[in-house]
Amino acid sequence: PGADGQKTLFHEYFHAVQLAHIFSEDRAKRDELKGPIWFHEGGAEYMAQYGSRNARLSSTLQQVNAEGRWPFVFEEKMEQKMRHGLEKMLSACPGVSMKDITYENRCDGAGYDIGAWAHAYLASKFGHDVLLDTYYAKLDELGWEDAFIETYGMTTDEFYGEFDAFLQLPLSEQIAIL
């Protein structure tokens, strides 16, 4: 469907935005600065969902083949991500924490879905602009962990504990943060 194609373009464009804030030409350093898969891919996925929804609502983005069998409804797409992400974590990677998902052990893509929710959670607490305006502005200088701490006022371990509690909430409470 056209809406999914448009969302994919937003996802890949956001990767360009993310990587534009990393100035090192050293591949290992760039990979380290991207952060874990849930942050890098989940961030691109969340910003794609959120950004394409906002572009449609403002009529900046034309609805292309978005009605009918696969309409684009932000809350429904995010609900699917929560359901699929948790299912993937249980079936493909039982006992693996979100922080341990890697490009080598993708857990059937759970980092994309659960990572999108991690960004939704952070945006609900700190605003949607903080990722671009604060985090990425500090990334190259501070590194992934310190930029996260400076931006969100907590370590990633503290975040993981908080977010794990959020994942235990009923779906209706999770959707309410959107």
Side-chain angles (χ1 to χ4, degrees):
D4 280 345
Q6 289 174 322
K7 190 277 306 171
T8 299
L9 291 173
F10 273 70
H11 177 106
E12 297 307 329
Y13 177 78
F14 195 74
H15 280 317
V17 171
Q18 291 170 313
L19 295 174
H21 289 84
I22 298 175
F23 305 115
S24 174
E25 292 182 16
D26 178 82
R27 175 73 185 241
K29 173 87 171 158
R30 292 179 70 78
D31 286 347
E32 178 185 322
L33 286 170
K34 287 188 320 188
I37 191 170
W38 73 262
F39 194 85
H40 186 70
E41 294 294 349
E45 190 58 25
Y46 175 71
M47 293 301 277
Q49 296 286 345
Y50 180 76
S52 60
R53 178 207 50 183
N54 288 350
R56 281 185 193 84
L57 290 174
S58 69
S59 297
T60 305
L61 181 65
Q62 181 183 1
Q63 303 259 3
V64 176
N65 190 21
E67 301 301 324
R69 197 165 158 199
W70 293 290
F72 181 90
V73 178
F74 176 67
E75 292 78 6
E76 289 177 11
K77 295 291 186 186
M78 290 299 289
E79 180 178 336
Q80 289 171 0
K81 289 192 166 306
M82 180 60 81
R83 290 183 193 280
H84 293 154
L86 291 175
E87 286 171 13
K88 291 172 186 175
M89 292 292 292
L90 289 172
S91 64
C93 291
V96 174
S97 170
M98 176 178 79
K99 69 180 178 178
D100 297 321
I101 297 173
T102 65
Y103 283 98
E104 292 76 30
N105 181 19
R106 293 177 184 252
C107 295
D108 197 23
Y112 287 69
D113 294 338
I114 296 299
W117 269 98
H119 280 279
Y121 178 80
L122 290 167
S124 75
K125 290 186 69 169
F126 300 98
H128 291 279
D129 296 333
V130 74
L131 180 63
L132 284 172
D133 295 345
T134 307
Y135 174 81
Y136 280 110
K138 296 177 181 199
L139 176 61
D140 197 66
E141 176 189 348
L142 298 179
W144 135 253
E145 177 76 25
D146 288 339
F148 188 95
I149 293 167
E150 285 283 319
T151 303
Y152 301 111
M154 65 178 122
T155 66
T156 53
D157 283 338
E158 291 168 329
F159 167 73
Y160 293 136
E162 215 176 276
F163 187 64
D164 283 345
F166 172 77
L167 291 176
Q168 301 305 312
L169 295 174
L171 185 59
S172 61
E173 290 181 45
Q174 294 166 335
I175 296 290
I177 72 164
L178 300 174

